[in-house]
């Protein structure tokens, strides 16, 4: 399903991040300064909790710093970021939320949760269906900037960036990249060992490849439904998809004579960077970030298939156990501003969810035009995602052992 995300045209807007100003000093006893210090103390702290890669953390923090420096907003709240980096031994964010909920905690610092829409089902499964409060968009003026209001999650989710998987390839060795899924499958067979996708249980770029193979054979509405009927009533299509994945298996990247599925999204990109493979599905922002840093060569290009790889949204949700709900609305409002959207792009090349013609001072503006997000194949299947990963592990991952 292709869903309108944004329009492309013209020049773009963005704003630099202002330096934080130090407010007040306890060593100065003047009445005026004391009043300012007291006022500053009364400003509530809104804590944003999130998890994922380091680039997500840096982007969230950069926008939080800009909020805290903005005189229009910093009288309403102070923003702090609590971030759990993927792959660490720290307790996961869903587990922390579930523990607080089951303990009956209220007025916690879980004010806002910034997460991919695919993670919502897991949290609600451990808490309750009404764990996240509806968000009053009438109190978020910049909600009007949002070009993707019609997401399927509902009124308790406000997107603040888009995410999509593209086909990343080495243009030195691939002059004519595949344009359709069938052409890609044939390319893999014709070029054994030169394609890889990561273990889908460790990275969503690999999951997107697997899910595309399944959902290309299902009706459009299946990609935005968590109804298990799409599994039980379409077993033939699922079986065909997994048979195709098994057929492709021996043609994938190998080491020591055995097929290897890289770990995590970064694993397959590492193989592309070292030219051990020529093509892999990858997240747009990861490819562009690595090109910007020089860890991926300029020869690495991005293209999208006619049956686009599955994409999604990252957004804010407001747990019922949070304490500063009114202040949290002002934080969501700022993250939807054109200034914040430009910071998000400049920090991690996050796909904007506002009209990009109103963004300026963008770094690598040409890359934004190349990674066209006018439409994306919006994807949200709830816990079926877990079923896909489990079946892949049992039927495909086991072939590599």
């Amino acid at each position: 399903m292709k869903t309108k995300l944004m329009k492309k045209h013209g020049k773009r807007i963005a704003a630099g991040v202002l330096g934080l100003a130090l407010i007040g000093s306890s060593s100065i006893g003047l009445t005026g300064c004391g009043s300012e210090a007291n006022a500053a103390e009364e400003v509530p702290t809104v804590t944003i909790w999130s998890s994922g890669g380091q680039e997500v953390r840096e982007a969230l923090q950069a926008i939080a710093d800009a909020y805290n420096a903005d005189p229009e907003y910093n009288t309403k709240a102070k923003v702090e970021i609590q971030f759990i980096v993927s792959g660490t031994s720290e307790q996961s964010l869903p587990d922390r939320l579930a523990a607080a909920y089951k303990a009956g905690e209220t007025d916690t610092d879980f004010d806002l949760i910034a997460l991919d829409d695919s993670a919502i089902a897991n949290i609600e499964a451990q808490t309750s269906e009404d764990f996240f409060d509806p968000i009053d968009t009438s109190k978020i003026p910049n909600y009007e900037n949002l070009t993707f209001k019609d997401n399927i999650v509902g009124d308790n989710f406000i997107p603040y960036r888009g995410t999509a998987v593209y086909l990343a390839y080495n243009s030195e060795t691939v002059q004519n990249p595949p344009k359709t899924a069938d052409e890609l499958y044939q390319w893999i067979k014709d070029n054994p060992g030169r394609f890889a996708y990561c273990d889908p249980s460790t990275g969503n770029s690999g999951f997107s490849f697997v899910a595309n193979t399944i959902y290309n054979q299902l009706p459009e509405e299946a990609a935005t439904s968590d109804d298990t009927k799409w599994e039980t009533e379409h077993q033939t299509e699922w079986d065909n998809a997994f048979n195709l994945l098994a057929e492709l298996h021996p043609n994938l990247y190998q080491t020591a004579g055995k097929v290897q599925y890289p770990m995590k999204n970064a694993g397959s990109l590492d193989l592309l960077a070292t030219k051990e493979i020529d093509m892999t599905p990858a997240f747009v922002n990861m490819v562009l970030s690595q090109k910007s840093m020089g860890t991926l060569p300029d020869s690495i290009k991005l293209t999208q298939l006619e049956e686009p790889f599955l994409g999604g949204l990252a957004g804010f949700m407001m747990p019922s156990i949070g304490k500063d709900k009114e202040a949290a609305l002002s934080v969501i409002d700022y993250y939807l501003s054109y200034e914040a959207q430009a910071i998000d792009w400049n920090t991690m090349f996050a796909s904007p969810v506002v009209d990009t013609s109103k963004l300026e001072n963008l770094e690598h503006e040409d890359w934004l035009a190349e990674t066209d997000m006018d439409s994306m194949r919006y994807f949200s299947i709830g816990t079926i995602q877990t079923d896909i990963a489990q079946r892949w592990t049992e039927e495909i991952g086991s072939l590599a052992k």
Side-chain angles (χ1 to χ4, degrees):
M1 181 179 75
K2 293 187 178 180
T3 309
K4 190 67 179 174
L5 177 60
M6 62 189 74
K7 296 180 179 178
K8 303 271 179 202
H9 39 164
K11 191 180 172 185
R12 281 105 173 154
I13 314 186
V17 181
L18 299 176
L20 285 176
L22 297 177
I23 302 175
S25 172
S26 59
S27 63
I28 300 176
L30 296 178
T31 303
C33 292
S35 298
E36 290 180 10
N38 290 336
E41 291 174 3
E42 293 171 1
V43 172
T45 296
V46 172
T47 305
I48 299 175
W49 286 80
S50 189
S51 62
Q54 185 64 29
E55 73 281 359
V56 178
R57 179 180 194 164
E58 291 173 357
L60 283 170
Q61 188 62 60
I63 301 173
D65 290 344
Y67 178 102
N68 291 334
D70 191 309
E72 180 182 346
Y73 285 92
N74 63 19
T75 57
K76 303 173 184 177
K78 175 186 176 183
V79 182
E80 290 187 356
I81 305 296
Q82 290 287 345
F83 199 88
I84 301 170
V85 179
S86 297
T88 64
S89 59
E90 293 187 67
Q91 184 183 30
S92 72
L93 180 54
D95 288 346
R96 293 187 190 207
L97 291 168
Y101 173 79
K102 291 172 183 177
E105 295 181 20
T106 58
D107 295 327
T108 70
D109 67 350
F110 291 114
D111 300 306
L112 285 175
I113 309 299
L115 75 172
D116 294 342
D117 50 9
S118 61
I120 297 170
N122 182 24
I123 295 173
E124 291 182 339
Q126 296 186 63
T127 55
S128 67
E129 291 184 358
D130 60 355
F131 178 71
F132 293 108
D133 287 341
I135 297 174
D136 186 354
T137 57
S138 69
K139 296 181 179 180
I140 305 175
N142 284 329
Y143 182 74
E144 292 305 312
N145 297 346
L146 186 62
T147 57
F148 203 83
K149 298 183 177 71
D150 296 328
N151 67 85
I152 68 165
V153 179
D155 62 0
N156 56 6
F157 179 82
I158 305 294
Y160 78 94
R161 64 176 171 87
T163 180
V165 172
Y166 270 51
L167 192 64
Y169 67 97
N170 184 350
S171 61
E172 292 179 345
T173 54
V174 182
Q175 278 74 43
N176 298 298
K179 295 180 176 62
T180 68
D182 285 341
E183 287 183 10
L184 173 58
Y185 301 143
Q186 189 60 52
W187 188 95
I188 293 170
K189 295 175 184 178
D190 293 342
N191 298 272
R194 304 308 299 173
F195 181 87
Y197 66 91
C198 72
D199 181 326
S201 66
T202 68
N204 279 339
S205 61
F207 175 81
S208 183
F209 179 82
V210 173
N212 258 42
T213 307
I214 299 169
Y215 280 81
N216 284 349
Q217 305 187 47
L218 297 177
E220 284 188 358
E221 60 265 32
T224 54
S225 171
D226 61 1
D227 192 332
T228 56
K229 72 177 184 181
W230 299 113
E231 295 179 86
T232 58
E233 297 177 10
H234 294 267
Q235 291 184 9
T236 300
E237 290 89 338
W238 279 65
D239 290 344
N240 289 341
F242 276 92
N243 288 337
L244 175 56
L245 292 170
E247 182 182 343
L248 295 174
H249 170 83
N251 299 291
L252 301 181
Y253 168 74
Q254 298 187 17
T255 57
K258 293 179 63 176
V259 170
Q260 297 289 325
Y261 292 95
M263 297 296 288
K264 300 185 178 182
N265 302 312
S268 53
L269 276 182
D270 288 344
L271 295 177
L272 190 63
T274 56
K275 299 185 178 181
E276 294 183 64
I277 60 173
D278 295 319
M279 196 179 298
T280 188
F283 280 101
V284 166
N285 70 288
M286 291 188 68
V287 172
L288 297 184
S289 294
Q290 291 198 24
K291 287 184 69 171
S292 178
M293 293 185 293
T295 52
L296 272 179
D298 288 339
S299 61
I300 302 304
K301 305 295 183 183
L302 290 165
T303 189
Q304 188 57 279
L305 301 178
E306 289 181 11
E307 309 89 345
F309 284 109
L310 308 177
L313 298 166
F316 289 113
M317 301 192 80
M318 193 177 296
S320 56
I321 61 175
K323 64 182 185 303
D324 291 312
K325 301 186 185 302
E326 287 297 319
L329 294 175
S330 76
V331 176
I332 297 175
D333 185 62
Y334 188 78
Y335 275 76
L336 294 182
S337 68
Y338 298 121
E339 293 79 6
Q341 290 284 299
I343 293 170
D344 218 7
W345 170 265
N346 287 341
T347 305
M348 66 169 284
F349 299 104
S351 299
V353 291
V354 300
D355 184 350
T356 56
S357 70
K358 296 182 179 179
L359 304 181
E360 64 181 15
N361 299 329
L362 296 181
E363 298 178 7
H364 294 289
E365 188 173 346
D366 55 325
W367 288 355
L368 182 58
E370 289 174 4
T371 55
D372 184 4
M373 290 287 286
D374 276 349
S375 63
M376 75 173 187
R377 191 179 186 184
Y378 188 64
F379 185 71
S380 181
I381 59 172
T383 56
I384 296 177
Q385 182 163 341
T386 303
D387 297 342
I388 292 174
Q390 182 176 341
R391 181 169 177 179
W392 182 92
T393 299
E394 293 172 352
E395 298 186 18
I396 308 302
S398 61
L399 298 175
K401 296 179 180 179

